[in-house]
Amino acid sequence: MGAVSSLLSPYRAFGDDANDIIDKFINLNETEPKITDICWLDLKIGDNEPKRVEISLFGDVVPRTVLNFKLLCSNSGVSADSSIGYRNSEFFRVITGFSVQAGNISPQTDVPPSAKGRYGKAAIPYSDLFNNPTAEGFPVENYRILHSFRDAGVVSMMKELRPISGGGKEWLQDSRFFVTLRPWAAWADQRYSAFGRVTRGLEVLETMQLLPVQPPANYPLMPVRIVDSGCY
């Protein structure tokens, strides 16, 4: 845990009582939360030169989620076998006028396009923070930030219902995220945990809508690769 030890204290300190501490929804059209961090993704579409997308993060509202994203952008997440991160991963789904999806950081050898996007990992193993060695994710922090924004570009975590040790299932988040491609995305409000928005390079993501895709998973037939990533 040496590479991330300095970042663990805010993750732990916030605890699991987020919804007890904060219970008010945030409308980005009225009041934008403090931008605590800015991370970037350099995207290469096909053989074109990479272009940068910058994402401003709201760490005061969803500190656990933002920490996870920062570690993955910095390629310093910790898994059982090696450091993990977004570098060299691909956008695996493009839905025109709706969203683009990325963050599938597990190996994709011999995986058909219809299955890509199913294998995310959190930056910090679940067992390190929640004493649960069977899950590679963390519980949804809160749904405070609304996606009903006047512009596209809200960034939000995907989630998956997974079994947990001791029995039962829980909605967990890992490395996979999506970016809205249209304004007023109310369909995602109180369903997904938004944690930032694109503040530079939204046009790069919008260009992806022109790519041919393979249905039904809408996997882009021209690769969209994160060739590098980090945080300022």
Side-chain angles (χ1 to χ4, degrees):
M1 300 295 289
V4 298
S5 58
S6 63
L7 295 173
L8 284 176
S9 55
Y11 194 115
R12 295 178 189 274
F14 195 79
D16 292 319
D17 299 323
N19 289 313
D20 295 332
I21 299 171
I22 306 171
D23 59 3
K24 184 178 180 182
F25 290 120
I26 296 174
N27 185 334
L28 296 177
N29 300 292
E30 298 174 355
T31 303
E32 184 170 78
K34 175 185 176 182
I35 295 173
T36 57
D37 308 275
I38 299 177
C39 292
W40 51 270
L41 308 172
D42 285 345
L43 304 186
K44 184 178 178 66
I45 301 177
D47 294 327
N48 296 305
E49 287 297 312
K51 295 185 178 180
R52 180 158 294 189
V53 174
E54 293 182 357
I55 300 172
S56 296
L57 307 176
F58 307 131
D60 286 347
V61 183
V62 276
R64 176 186 304 165
T65 307
V66 165
L67 172 59
N68 181 66
F69 190 76
K70 286 171 57 182
L71 291 173
L72 292 168
C73 282
S74 302
N75 300 284
S76 56
V78 178
S79 67
D81 50 352
S82 63
S83 294
I84 58 174
Y86 289 135
R87 187 181 296 133
N88 292 322
S89 66
E90 295 182 355
F91 276 73
F92 59 84
R93 196 176 192 193
V94 177
I95 308 176
T96 300
F98 197 73
S99 69
V100 291
Q101 299 176 10
N104 185 17
I105 61 176
S106 296
Q108 291 298 288
T109 304
D110 298 326
V111 174
S114 60
K116 292 188 177 183
R118 298 181 182 175
Y119 307 101
K121 286 186 178 181
I124 306 171
Y126 193 105
S127 56
D128 286 354
L129 296 172
F130 301 99
N131 194 30
N132 187 337
T134 65
E136 293 180 333
F138 59 95
V140 176
E141 195 164 8
N142 63 60
Y143 300 108
R144 290 193 62 211
I145 299 173
L146 300 178
H147 302 72
S148 302
F149 184 50
R150 61 179 173 271
D151 200 358
V154 176
V155 187
S156 192
M157 295 300 296
M158 298 173 64
K159 64 181 182 180
E160 185 174 356
L161 191 61
R162 295 179 178 174
I164 58 176
S165 60
K169 294 184 177 181
E170 188 170 0
W171 286 106
L172 300 179
Q173 300 175 152
D174 45 50
S175 54
R176 292 168 294 175
F177 65 95
F178 67 88
V179 183
T180 60
L181 291 179
R182 68 181 185 189
W184 310 109
W187 58 269
D189 289 347
Q190 302 182 54
R191 295 179 61 195
Y192 298 96
S193 182
F195 61 93
R197 70 180 184 89
V198 175
T199 46
R200 176 188 170 193
L202 181 60
E203 68 279 1
V204 179
L205 301 178
E206 292 174 333
T207 298
M208 292 167 58
Q209 298 179 97
L210 303 176
L211 300 177
V213 298
Q214 179 173 320
N218 281 41
Y219 179 78
L221 296 177
M222 181 180 291
V224 181
R225 184 175 296 277
I226 301 174
V227 296
D228 203 2
S229 61
C231 299
Y232 296 116

